[in-house]
Amino acid sequence: MLPAVNRMRLPDEFRSVFRAGTKAGSRQLIVHCLRTSDDAHAPRVGFVVSKAVGNAVVRNRVKRRLRELMRPRLHHLDDGTLLVIRALPAAAEADFAALERALTKGMDRLGLTNGEKRRARNEALS
């Protein structure tokens, strides 16, 4: 489970990420990201797993796997970042390692994996 401070719940936040954010995708996942100038909140992550992925058991398994994959990656995200991970139907057949590769690939494309370096550089400049 992700910490409560890192969970995205409001429909308006999801909508703003989809409309104004950038995205990167693979066969299993699409990663949407919106970097806001508001550093007042911790990075937040939301998940979208539609019925096209499968029945409730399959959808919940995909969500659990994605949450577990995101938990150690939270420290890579800058404060104010909103991230939505949307599972595609191919995620239902993907194993844990395949989802991990897809998530890493999407985050790399969006430039989200170097958050610690970026944060250290920003602190050095201030």
Side-chain angles (χ1 to χ4, degrees), residues 23-91:
K23 66 181 177 178
S26 67
R27 198 165 101 53
Q28 295 93 0
L29 304 172
I30 298 177
V31 181
H32 299 265
C33 176
L34 179 63
R35 292 184 179 106
T36 62
S37 59
D38 178 23
D39 290 346
H41 66 79
R44 294 187 194 146
V45 181
F47 301 94
V48 176
V49 184
S50 73
K51 287 186 178 182
V53 173
N55 63 19
V57 173
V58 173
R59 291 193 311 269
N60 285 324
R61 181 179 5 164
V62 170
K63 279 187 279 192
R64 281 193 310 270
R65 288 177 174 176
L66 291 173
R67 277 196 305 264
E68 183 60 29
L69 287 169
M70 272 312 298
R71 201 162 37 91
R73 290 173 167 81
L74 284 173
H75 71 278
H76 290 292
L77 302 176
D78 291 330
D79 289 343
T81 301
L82 299 175
L83 190 73
V84 176
I85 301 168
R86 188 163 47 116
L88 299 176

